[in-house]
Structure formats: C-alpha cells, structure tokens
Amino acid sequence: MRENKTINKLFRINALTAFLLFIAAAANAQIIYDNGGLATGATSKSGVAAPAGTQWSEAQNNQGDTTSSNTTGGVGCQVIGAATNNRCADDFTVPVGETWTVSSVVTFAYQTGFAGGTSPIVGATLRIWSGFPGAAGSTIVFGDTTTNRLGSSTNSNLFRIFNTTTPAPGTVPGTTRIIWQNTINVSPSAVLPAGHYWVDFQTDSGATTGNFAPSITIPNTRGAMVYNGLQNINAAGWLPLIDTGNPATAADYGVDFPFKINGTIAGTIGTRRSRTVDFNGDNKTDFAVASSANATSQTTWQIRDSTGATSGFAWGLGVGFAGGDIATPEDFDGDGKTDIAVWRPGAATVARFFILQSATNTVRIEPFGQTGDDPSVVDDYNGDGNADVAVYRDGGVGQSTFFYRTMAGGPVTFAPWGLGGDKPAPGDYDGDGRADLAVFRNEAGAARHFHQRSTQGFVTVQFGLFTDKFAGGDYDGDNKTDICMVRANGGVFDWYIFRSSNGVTFTTGSLGGFGNPTTDVIVQGDYDGDNRTDFGVWRTSATDNGVFFLAPTNSGMGGTKWGSTGGTLTTPDYPVANYNVH
C-alpha cells in the first residue's frame, strides 16, 4: 500500500539504496547512521510558507523539469487489523574493521487527516537481517514481527505534501499529513560486525486508515541512482519499490526510506576507500583541476573545497597533456589530507615523484620508476595510512610488475602481477586497509579481473568489456573497493557496479545513465562525505566551460562550475580526480 497524489491503493513498488536525514535524534542518542533526508524547506515550490517552526516535505521534480514529478507521498509499512499486514525494509552496511552496537532505530510515518496533538503511532515492530530479507542464507540477527518495540513517537515538525507546481497546476500544500518520528528500541542492543544488513519495520496507528512511511526526499531531484527500498504486502514476498511518477507517462524512479540508527561504533579504520582528492581533510572530495598552457609549461592546481574556499598551487609541468607530468594526488604523509603530487617521466629513463607534503608543507622528491611506467597505481600497500610511491610496468610479451616503496629511501618491493597488455586497477578489495594487486585482461573482448587480495587470497571475475573505463571506489560504503565499469552507450555513460557488500550488480542504465561520453571526463569521489563513492563527471566544451556534475548519495544531483576548457575534451585544465580511472 502507498499513498500517491491521485488515489490510495495496493501497489508493488521499487527502489535502489540509502542516504541522509534532516531531523535531530533523541537528546541522549548518538546517530551512527543516517539514511536520507525529508525536509525540503519552509516555503513550498509554489511559494507558500509552512506554519511557523515547521517545514514542508514536498514530493519533488527534477531540476528544470516542468512536466513530471514524484507521485508517492508515502508507502504502507503498516498493520491494519487482520486484513493488512505490510512491512518495509532498507539496507545499510557496517564497514570492514568496524563493529556497531545498535540501541535503537528511528523511522518516520504519517496518518493522513490526523490532527491530534500527540502521535497516532501506538506500536512498531522491527527485525534486522544479515543479508537480503527472506533470501536463502540470510538470517535475522535481531527482533521479530510481534513484539511492540516503540519507545517514543514525536512530532518531526514536517508536513508531507505533493508537488505544488509540477506538473501544472500542481497541488495546494496543506497540513493534513504531520510526519511523526518513531524511535524503535533495540533491546538488548544488537552487536553487528562488518556486513550488509537490512532494517525491516512496521508501524501501527491503531486506526482503520493506517499510516504511511514517507520516502527520502531531496530538493530538485526525484531520486538517487542507488535507491533500493522494499515492501512486503501481506507476507507475499519482498518486492522493490518504484515511484511511477505524475503523470503516468513519467519515468519510474526508485524509492528509499529515511531511517537513522542510534548506538556506538568501535574499531573504525581511519582511511576510507571512498575518499580521494581531499585536500583539507574533511573526508569530502574537493573540486580540483590542474591548469597548464602546454606539455612543458608550469601547472597550477586550482582547488575548491566543500566549504567553497578556494586555493591555488603551482606544481608540476604540463599536467593533462601528453608528455607532461601525471597527477598522482594521494595522502603520502598520513595526515588525512591529500597531497599535491605529480610523477615526471625522465629525459632518459629515470622518473621522479614530486610531492608537496601537507603535514609539513615540505617538498619530497623521490626518484622512482622509468619512462613508460604507469604511476596511477599509487596507494597504501602496507596499511600504515600513508600512500606509497608506486608504478605499474607492462611486461610486453611477458610478466608485468607492480613496484612500490613503503618509506622514503627504503627498499623497493617487486610484485609480479599481470601480463603484457593488462591494465592495472589496484584497490582495497578485502577491506583490510592495504591496496591489493589487481589487473584486468582482454579476454575475447570481455574484461577479466585478477585480484591478489592481501587477506582473502586470489580471486578472478569477468565483469565488463576491456574497452570500458574502470572507475573503482567504495560505492556501497563497506570500506572495500567495488569494481565499477563505465560504458559509453550512445550519448550517455552507463555505470555498472559490482558491489562488494552483497555481490549484486547495480547499473544506472534503467535511469538513463549519467554523463556524456562525448564531452565528459569521469571524476568519481566522495563529494558529500558519507563514505560512499559518488558518480561524477567533469563536462568540457566551450559552452559549459568546465562543470562538475555529480550524483551523490545524500543530496540531489547538481553542477558546480570549476575550471575551464578550450573545447570538447580539450585542455588547458585537467580534473585531477580522473587520475585513478583506468
């Protein structure tokens, strides 16, 4: 059951993964996970102010789209007497190296037309699954479907409304749908080691009309690419949730639920695999371009961080041009901030890293590798929190080799891995804080990946085509690198992610893709700081003149102007987040 703009009806719906809320938690609770937002502001899209001290939670349309909007106000995650027994579920991941002790889970619900001063929600049940709910091999690690675990239900000071402008004439905003914040106790506390979990919940308003759980709502976007909420109607089985849109011809979008987890975290690993190009250490990827006039001219790094602060540094020669220096931004000194760094091929054979260490603002020059090597494999190979200078050397007709040095001036480690013609794609595929040796190989046009994991041994998987671009990152938030391939499909990029948390492949293809292969450079990173890699592209051409377009996990899709281009896929600027796309 869901509530949409036109009618309340039973409906089997679909969605794709998780994000960040607006409302504060109970005073004595520590929020350790927040799955998504609800508030859209004190003024509706039509210009109507919400009552004093409150905000709207308005169903959205995509930025610039004046013809279609979301149609779902809420989803039935409720019990109504003996006839209606619906449950809902959404997922979260405990990263490798962490243990979560969960004391409560917060969900949200409204009852249409309820005008009382105290909450109509009188009961709630909860289960936490390890693995997909009900699937073979999945287990319930906490809870049941009968015990009332409702601790409190308080007014969130939000009113759920449908879109007030789109499609025209929109709807008139009203105050008939107060959203209640429901704290469901987890007692005794559930201790969750690293893994992929699902929260499975149901609320009871003790009424014949039931109640509805609002979906995550992000201003100016109908949904994010990885929403995957579920609904189970009268124990008929779990089905994905879809917002079919208004009008009926509108595109379908996935649905996710806002929920929060209260508790504590132990054993956090300091370095998150989602973070790259973070020059100020706030765990968010920064907008950064390297500007050069030609392959031999001075390069200036131009950085805009998440606060909007800007800075510039002259470093390197000809970054972004063939024959120029190659950007290798990583945290070489272990202070939690990315260092500006380049690798310079030698006039003869000896190459050098030039690193501006942020911890001491000192220059580190380290001869390493030779002309023709690939320095994009810089990473932390021994797990000490410092990136290591490294190169990958193609073996031609024989053995290829990773070379890395874990301390300045120390011995060089030679790690044979791969064959001539393979492409490197290192990452922390087992989540132990150490980069693993990884390559992918052309196997009759397909891409065959070979990973030598430092704790879990060898694994191989066929995923993608050899001609695809591979943009590794931690897209599911489990602190392990996911294989991500990006394929040109006509006028769009289709992104395919092989999730390490559950072995399931996710693709943006059903949502129309993200990015334009004709004009865009791939710049994946964690731009919103939620410890999950976001889809990102940097758009070139004289018209757009350098714009970062992002599809982050806890905010709406948007663009940020930063950098300049002389034409399509043309320097002088190079977005440095592209350095680890292979």
Side-chain angles (χ1 to χ4, degrees):
M1 179 177 288
R2 70 171 180 174
E3 185 181 48
N4 64 20
K5 180 182 176 184
T6 56
I7 188 170
N8 297 340
K9 62 181 180 180
L10 287 176
F11 199 85
R12 294 178 178 178
I13 331 175
N14 163 59
L16 313 148
T17 311
F19 309 113
L20 211 100
L21 276 171
F22 171 82
I23 317 299
N28 61 349
Q30 178 186 353
I31 301 172
I32 60 174
Y33 181 80
D34 205 339
N35 197 52
L38 271 175
T40 56
T43 304
S44 71
K45 288 178 175 286
S46 61
V48 177
T54 70
Q55 295 191 60
W56 302 117
S57 177
E58 181 174 359
Q60 293 293 298
N61 57 291
N62 288 330
Q63 182 75 41
D65 182 357
T66 60
T67 62
S68 61
S69 66
N70 285 338
T71 191
T72 299
V75 177
C77 311
Q78 82 282 65
V79 59
I80 308 175
T84 302
N85 183 19
N86 302 334
R87 304 189 67 83
C88 294
D90 212 331
D91 66 339
F92 66 97
T93 298
V94 177
V96 170
E98 296 183 2
T99 298
W100 291 9
T101 300
V102 178
S103 59
S104 62
V105 174
V106 177
T107 65
F108 296 82
Y110 66 85
Q111 182 178 313
T112 304
F114 181 80
T118 58
S119 174
I121 306 299
V122 296
T125 61
L126 176 76
R127 294 186 293 187
I128 300 175
W129 293 80
S130 175
F132 190 92
S138 295
T139 58
I140 298 170
V141 296
F142 176 83
D144 53 54
T145 61
T146 57
T147 303
N148 184 359
R149 302 181 186 276
L150 183 67
S152 65
S153 183
T154 57
N155 192 334
S156 71
N157 291 319
L158 294 175
F159 292 100
R160 189 66 168 166
I161 58 175
F162 295 103
N163 197 290
T164 58
T165 62
T166 307
T171 60
V172 177
T175 57
T176 60
R177 298 177 180 85
I178 301 171
I179 298 176
W180 302 92
Q181 177 174 282
N182 309 304
T183 299
I184 306 172
N185 292 328
V186 177
S187 181
S189 296
V191 179
L192 306 180
H196 187 216
Y197 298 90
W198 288 77
V199 169
D200 159 11
F201 65 96
Q202 179 186 77
T203 49
D204 181 6
S205 61
T208 58
T209 56
N211 61 86
F212 299 91
S215 56
I216 288 176
T217 308
I218 300 171
N220 299 317
T221 182
R222 287 191 54 201
M225 291 186 175
V226 289
Y227 286 172
N228 63 346
L230 303 171
Q231 185 185 40
N232 191 327
I233 297 176
N234 290 327
W238 293 98
L239 294 172
L241 284 163
I242 290 178
D243 186 306
T244 56
N246 180 28
T249 54
D252 293 348
Y253 272 77
V255 177
D256 232 33
F257 295 106
F259 68 90
K260 294 183 285 190
I261 296 175
N262 296 319
T264 59
I265 297 176
T268 302
I269 292 179
T271 301
R272 294 283 191 168
R273 307 310 304 178
S274 56
R275 182 176 67 192
T276 57
V277 194
D278 173 20
F279 295 99
N280 64 344
D282 65 351
N283 206 34
K284 297 180 181 179
T285 298
D286 300 322
F287 302 110
V289 296
S291 304
S292 311
N294 52 56
T296 59
S297 66
Q298 177 70 63
T299 295
T300 300
W301 294 57
Q302 301 178 66
I303 299 167
R304 175 176 176 171
D305 66 25
S306 60
T307 69
T310 62
S311 56
F313 300 87
W315 201 258
L317 301 174
V319 173
F321 285 87
D325 292 350
I326 297 175
T328 57
E330 284 282 354
D331 181 12
F332 290 92
D333 54 19
D335 66 346
K337 300 178 182 179
T338 298
D339 301 318
I340 294 173
V342 298
W343 182 81
R344 181 171 299 166
T349 58
V350 177
R352 288 174 171 81
F353 282 91
F354 293 83
I355 303 166
L356 179 59
Q357 298 184 133
S358 55
T360 57
N361 200 32
T362 57
V363 178
R364 173 180 166 189
I365 302 175
E366 191 158 347
F368 199 84
Q370 64 186 36
T371 301
D373 289 346
D374 183 350
S376 67
V377 298
V378 292
D379 210 321
D380 181 6
Y381 288 88
N382 66 342
D384 65 353
N386 298 351
D388 306 317
V389 295
V391 295
Y392 174 78
R393 187 168 300 162
D394 189 283
V397 296
Q399 178 73 62
S400 297
T401 306
F402 284 78
F403 298 86
Y404 59 89
R405 179 185 285 149
T406 59
M407 59 182 295
V412 176
T413 298
F414 303 80
W417 195 252
L419 301 175
D422 292 351
K423 295 180 181 179
D428 184 7
Y429 294 95
D430 54 7
D432 68 341
R434 291 179 286 177
D436 302 316
L437 307 178
V439 298
F440 59 96
R441 180 173 302 162
N442 189 349
E443 192 173 81
R448 168 70 67 176
H449 301 259
F450 298 87
H451 296 168
Q452 182 60 45
R453 299 169 298 178
S454 50
T455 60
Q456 297 180 0
F458 169 74
V459 68
T460 181
V461 61
Q462 188 180 91
F463 191 74
L465 303 176
F466 191 72
T467 53
D468 293 335
K469 297 179 184 296
F470 287 87
D474 182 10
Y475 293 87
D476 55 9
D478 66 349
N479 225 22
K480 298 180 182 179
T481 300
D482 304 310
I483 302 174
C484 173
M485 69 175 185
V486 186
R487 179 176 300 167
N489 181 11
V492 299
F493 276 134
D494 285 339
W495 298 59
Y496 298 80
I497 300 168
F498 186 73
R499 289 174 171 161
S500 55
S501 59
N502 57 10
V504 174
T505 299
F506 164 76
T507 176
T508 63
S510 61
L511 300 179
F514 183 76
N516 185 333
T518 303
T519 59
D520 295 352
V521 179
I522 297 167
V523 289
Q524 82 278 14
D526 183 11
Y527 292 88
D528 54 12
D530 67 345
N531 294 318
R532 286 174 287 189
T533 302
D534 307 316
F535 305 119
V537 295
W538 186 69
R539 182 153 299 165
T540 65
S541 83
T543 302
D544 291 320
N545 204 31
V547 179
F548 285 84
F549 288 98
L550 308 175
T553 48
N554 70 3
S555 56
M557 289 184 283
T560 298
K561 170 71 180 71
W562 193 247
S564 300
T565 60
T568 301
L569 298 179
T570 302
T571 45
D573 288 359
Y574 167 76
V576 296
N578 182 252
Y579 80 101
N580 62 354
V581 175
H582 301 89

